Amino acid sequence: MTDSILLFKFVLAIVTFAISLGVAAYATYGERKIAGLFQDRLGPNNAGPWGLLQPLADGGKMFFKEDFIPAASEKFLFILAPGIAMFTALMTSAIIPWTSPILISGALYQVQVADIDIGILYSLGFVSIGVYGIMIGGWASNNKYSLMGAIRASSQMISYELAMGLALLAVIMMSGSLSLNDIVAAQKGSFLGFLPNWNVFKQPVGFLIFLICAFAETNRAPFDLPECETELVGGYHTEYSSMKLGLFLFSEYINMFISSAIIATVYFGGYNLPLIGRFVTDPNALAAIGFAVFFAKILFFIFFYMWIRWTLPRFRYDQLMHLGWKSLIPIAIINLLVTGAVLILKDYL
Amino acid sequence: MGVSEILAYALGIISVASALLVVFSKNPIHSVLYLIITFFSIAGQYVLLNAQFLFIVQIIVYSGAIMVLFLFVLMLLNLNKDTEPQKSNLFKFISIITACSLFISMIAMVKGVGNLNLPSEPDSQIGLVKNLGMVLFSKYVIPFELSSVLFISGMVGAVMIGKKETHDIN
Amino acid sequence: MQSLTNRSKVVSNKQMSFAERTYLIPIIKGMMITLKHLFKKKVTLDYPKMTRPMAPVYRGKHILKRDLNGAENCTACGLCAVACPAEAITMVAAERKKGEEKLYKEEKYAAIYEINMLRCIFCGLCEEACPKEAIFLTDEIVKPSDLRENFIYGKELLVEKMDHRYDITKRQKHLIK
């Protein structure tokens, strides 16, 4: 029994890894295609049908580029940094519940690599150490633009983590658990009779704050100040080339995928689809539908990331800090207090 | 020796070695990076004790926030060798005395504790969030709240010091 | 001051309200604009597979016309070189010998006729200056090269090939107008 669970988890971990990389690879294609479509262009369309082999071509190009290490850099840290960025990006996928439990030869298996007690805190933790890759890379390059990118990344990360945590706390208070599985389970059924019982309808303000912070934490436009081509050349990856640059760029897309998954899990009911339980009862069929639904939600948010990126201009640095400290954190605290008050009132009524 | 015991020893060796490297490495940035490794190995010990909450708090607070700030400040410093302040011999002598007395008092503290009366079969579930929260908000609620007051006063103090004095200009 | 058009917008420095400061509505408006563009007809052409139609009087690479019998029209009068604002055209005149009547239309012809395509600005003044309807601009594009010498087009590149005649009727009409 325990052996079969171990085997299942092992297979699941590899599949999760592969899915994260695959989605991230095609997110790069999607980004370029969608950017093209938004700007009335065609986007990549020459590599394979509709340009679908473009990620392979990009990867191949990255591998065959000259791998340049600046002479004045800290070589070990310079090489280590992209690895850290990639590692932390991939680690977070371990706690995401992909779909409802599946039935294999009479036993139910949870489709989640690690159902740990601390659940959502784990993702916060790995997001917060994800900045080390950028910081170390930026400092080790020994370049002023890289250093400025690194400094911007670190201060931005710390500022937005607070509001993100506070927004999540309200959700945690409502579901009474840190485990993502419980948070998803608490979003079954319907809310006010006609809406699905998703947290986004109960926590609209919290969702908005979380969304903004997720943009900031993944260094995506309009919060892409750490790379900021117009001001800092390439920001923290100015000195990087070849696959090391590829890893940095790739980790950004993995982060985007994972954060989309977390938004979908925490605020959009994860793999829940309202009323599906009435029509389908077989657990494996439910799991398949759940997986498809969950993926549709994730893909929507990846699209949303790109949509925002190609719509809004970048923030100025002081605007970024104002938004983080003077707007988001107070609103998040008020949201938390209101949530707490409502939860207490509910017990008395 | 079980797997967890081997892991515990390995993590212990890593944490002690990297803690020593914090002190002995020449470059302050390297010191900070070794300190981060130390914190991670300590966090690993928490995982082995099934104290998941402590593990993640260690990572979020120490590795994720405090060390990022350390690194942030150090990156802004000019770390050229010729700008390093030369310390006088008197200063070195004083610091050696202070360090030694701290070390002696720590040894005395460990010896003075005597029998700790640790339970032979500790509760392996105490580190989980639910249990820890229960203990924190019932048995230890006053120290917990007092520490939060301490933090707030610290924050207010920092803001007061950091604030520019504007009334002179007006 | 009264505005001449009603397109100008009056701006003011008044304090924005809270709702305005959140910028939520402008952001949503902007996102709707980008979303509209997602479904718009694309302006880019899938170039090597598709090409845009050339204008019938496009001013590209030059051609030195031959008449119906295959004799060169050019008499090396030099008017094109004089007209050329970029001084891209040079030529050396020569006298027609006996037996060359099939090659050259009149007694004088250009032994060497060179256009420096790097200097040429494709204004078409040579075409206008030519009294013999010998030089025309075509809708072909000068081919790229990484050597400057390759851009000095001599007679072998400029003179019309007999197996590949170039239709200039549209350009002639244009000249008459």
Side-chain angles (χ1 to χ4, degrees):
Chain A
M1 184 62 206
T2 47
D3 278 355
S4 64
I5 285 184
L6 263 182
L7 183 69
F8 178 75
K9 293 280 182 196
F10 183 68
V11 171
L12 189 67
I14 289 172
V15 170
T16 308
F17 182 72
I19 286 178
S20 305
L21 289 179
V23 171
Y26 272 91
T28 60
Y29 164 75
E31 172 100 39
R32 297 174 60 180
K33 193 86 189 170
I34 286 170
L37 295 179
F38 273 139
Q39 297 169 353
D40 296 347
R41 294 184 284 113
L42 294 171
N45 61 354
N46 274 339
W50 304 290
L52 276 174
L53 297 176
Q54 190 68 37
L56 285 180
D58 284 346
K61 184 203 79 171
M62 285 287 187
F63 268 114
F64 292 114
K65 285 259 177 175
E66 186 195 355
D67 194 2
F68 183 77
I69 298 178
S73 65
E74 290 265 333
K75 292 221 169 45
F76 180 70
L77 293 180
F78 187 82
I79 295 168
L80 184 71
I84 295 176
M86 197 72 181
F87 172 75
T88 48
L90 280 169
M91 280 295 278
T92 327
S93 63
I95 52 149
I96 290 163
W98 295 104
T99 180
S100 49
I102 56 171
L103 195 68
I104 302 175
S105 59
L108 276 177
Y109 289 95
Q110 200 69 256
V111 191
Q112 185 183 19
V113 175
D115 184 14
I116 44 178
D117 187 40
I118 43 177
I120 195 109
L121 284 183
Y122 173 91
S123 72
L124 271 183
F126 271 94
V127 164
S128 67
I129 59 172
V131 73
Y132 280 126
I134 293 173
M135 283 185 85
I136 291 174
W139 181 78
S141 309
N142 203 3
N143 171 319
K144 59 184 161 193
Y145 298 115
S146 304
L147 183 67
M148 279 167 96
I151 284 167
R152 283 180 175 194
S154 55
S155 48
Q156 175 179 327
M157 214 64 135
I158 291 174
S159 311
Y160 279 78
E161 227 162 62
L162 292 172
M164 191 182 206
L166 288 172
L168 274 179
L169 268 184
V171 173
I172 293 167
M173 273 162 66
M174 280 173 42
S175 58
S177 169
L178 289 170
S179 161
L180 282 173
N181 249 328
D182 296 348
I183 291 174
V184 171
Q187 297 180 63
K188 281 203 175 96
S190 63
F191 175 58
L192 295 177
F194 62 98
L195 287 171
N197 191 18
W198 295 346
N199 279 334
V200 64
F201 299 115
K202 298 179 187 168
Q203 286 282 341
V205 180
F207 165 67
L208 211 59
I209 293 168
F210 187 85
L211 190 71
I212 294 169
C213 293
F215 276 94
E217 296 281 306
T218 47
N219 293 330
R220 290 283 302 182
F223 299 99
D224 59 344
L225 287 117
E227 30 188 303
C228 195
E229 302 86 352
T230 43
E231 293 168 29
L232 298 181
V233 193
Y236 60 91
H237 55 57
T238 304
E239 294 285 355
Y240 278 90
S241 56
S242 182
M243 207 52 204
K244 291 213 252 328
L245 173 66
L247 284 181
F248 265 133
L249 300 182
F250 215 59
S251 69
E252 180 186 318
Y253 284 94
I254 295 174
N255 275 331
M256 208 164 93
F257 169 60
I258 302 293
S259 60
S260 299
I262 288 176
I263 292 172
T265 312
V266 174
Y267 287 100
F268 283 81
Y271 48 77
N272 283 324
L273 186 69
L275 304 180
I276 189 69
R278 288 196 196 163
F279 308 112
V280 188
T281 46
D282 179 46
N284 283 348
L286 262 181
I289 294 169
F291 187 72
V293 167
F294 187 49
F295 241 79
K297 288 172 186 172
I298 292 175
L299 291 183
F300 171 76
F301 277 103
I302 291 179
F303 171 74
F304 191 75
Y305 265 99
M306 293 168 183
W307 188 5
I308 289 277
R309 172 167 179 184
W310 298 105
T311 304
L312 298 181
R314 188 181 293 125
F315 276 89
R316 215 169 52 213
Y317 200 69
D318 61 318
Q319 290 171 334
L320 173 94
M321 283 294 153
H322 269 264
L323 179 68
W325 288 99
K326 291 192 177 170
S327 309
L328 291 185
I329 291 177
I331 295 172
I333 290 174
I334 292 168
N335 183 44
L336 191 65
L337 290 177
V338 170
T339 310
V342 169
L343 284 177
I344 290 172
L345 278 177
K346 233 178 170 180
D347 283 351
Y348 283 106
L349 289 175
Chain B
M1 251 189 347
V3 180
S4 56
E5 227 171 306
I6 295 169
L7 276 176
Y9 277 115
L11 284 171
I13 290 165
I14 291 171
S15 52
V16 170
S18 50
L20 286 175
L21 282 167
V22 174
V23 183
F24 290 123
S25 61
K26 287 269 179 202
N27 191 331
I29 297 264
H30 291 173
S31 292
V32 170
L33 294 177
Y34 284 125
L35 195 54
I36 294 166
I37 297 175
T38 314
F39 282 143
F40 269 105
S41 49
I42 291 171
Q45 299 276 18
Y46 288 141
V47 172
L48 291 178
L49 294 170
N50 204 17
Q52 296 181 359
F53 185 70
L54 272 185
F55 156 74
I56 203 67
V57 167
Q58 169 90 8
I59 283 187
I60 292 177
V61 176
Y62 284 102
S63 316
I66 292 180
M67 294 323 287
V68 170
L69 279 179
F70 266 51
L71 210 55
F72 180 83
V73 173
L74 279 178
M75 277 178 181
L76 291 174
L77 294 180
N78 186 4
L79 294 175
N80 286 339
K81 286 221 167 56
D82 45 309
T83 56
E84 202 163 293
Q86 290 296 314
K87 292 176 184 90
S88 65
N89 278 335
L90 180 70
F91 190 81
K92 278 179 190 163
F93 183 69
I94 292 170
S95 32
I96 287 169
I97 298 278
T98 330
C100 285
S101 48
L102 180 69
F103 189 61
I104 290 166
S105 59
M106 269 165 70
I107 289 175
M109 203 167 72
V110 172
K111 284 203 96 176
V113 169
N115 268 354
L116 266 176
N117 278 332
L118 287 173
S120 57
E121 198 60 35
D123 184 6
S124 69
Q125 303 299 310
I126 191 70
L128 300 184
V129 184
K130 208 165 200 166
N131 305 327
L132 201 69
M134 286 296 180
V135 175
L136 213 56
F137 282 100
S138 55
K139 202 171 165 191
Y140 297 108
V141 66
I142 293 174
F144 182 71
E145 291 297 330
L146 278 180
S147 61
S148 69
V149 171
L150 188 69
F151 279 129
I152 286 198
S153 55
M155 263 166 67
V156 171
V159 170
M160 283 302 289
I161 292 169
K163 218 175 139 190
K164 274 183 206 151
E165 296 208 4
T166 48
H167 54 85
D168 290 338
I169 302 161
N170 292 338
Chain C
M1 199 172 73
Q2 204 188 345
S3 66
L4 297 173
T5 63
N6 49 10
R7 288 198 298 270
S8 66
K9 242 184 182 175
V10 179
V11 289
S12 71
N13 261 343
K14 76 169 170 58
Q15 199 85 35
M16 285 194 288
S17 68
F18 179 77
E20 280 174 322
R21 264 186 291 148
T22 58
Y23 286 105
L24 271 182
I25 292 160
I27 286 173
I28 292 167
K29 264 189 195 165
M31 289 177 72
M32 285 304 134
I33 290 173
T34 38
L35 194 65
K36 243 191 284 169
H37 278 268
L38 194 61
F39 302 108
K40 264 194 180 162
K41 195 175 167 288
K42 304 303 163 203
V43 291
T44 313
L45 229 69
D46 195 359
Y47 167 61
K49 289 172 215 157
M50 291 184 251
T51 44
R52 264 180 222 289
M54 283 282 194
V57 290
Y58 183 84
R59 300 200 295 255
K61 196 198 82 149
H62 311 67
I63 195 168
L64 286 174
K65 280 298 283 185
R66 293 173 192 266
D67 68 359
L68 287 173
N69 303 321
E72 283 175 25
N73 283 345
C74 181
T75 59
C77 63
L79 283 176
C80 49
V82 172
C84 183
E87 306 216 345
I89 303 174
T90 52
M91 67 186 77
V92 173
E95 217 164 307
R96 185 176 67 181
K97 304 242 169 59
K98 270 258 160 64
E100 287 181 334
E101 287 83 358
K102 280 212 165 148
L103 286 175
Y104 310 111
K105 203 172 161 192
E106 295 184 30
E107 287 95 65
K108 200 166 143 237
Y109 73 96
I112 298 172
Y113 192 101
E114 282 180 347
I115 301 181
N116 187 340
M117 291 300 176
L118 290 177
R119 301 205 65 156
C120 178
I121 56 169
F122 302 99
C123 57
L125 286 182
C126 46
E127 186 181 307
E128 250 174 75
C130 186
K132 298 287 179 189
E133 298 204 346
I135 187 162
F136 283 97
L137 272 68
T138 64
D139 57 6
E140 276 170 48
I141 286 169
V142 176
K143 292 214 167 59
S145 167
D146 49 8
L147 275 177
R148 282 174 171 269
E149 292 82 70
N150 294 350
F151 286 101
I152 298 171
Y153 279 36
K155 272 184 85 172
E156 67 284 357
L157 285 167
L158 291 172
V159 177
E160 186 182 29
K161 304 277 179 302
M162 280 311 283
D163 51 349
H164 185 72
R165 300 298 298 248
Y166 188 78
D167 181 26
I168 48 156
T169 43
K170 285 211 172 97
R171 289 167 200 271
Q172 282 170 322
K173 268 180 208 162
H174 179 72
L175 284 177
I176 290 157
K177 266 182 201 172

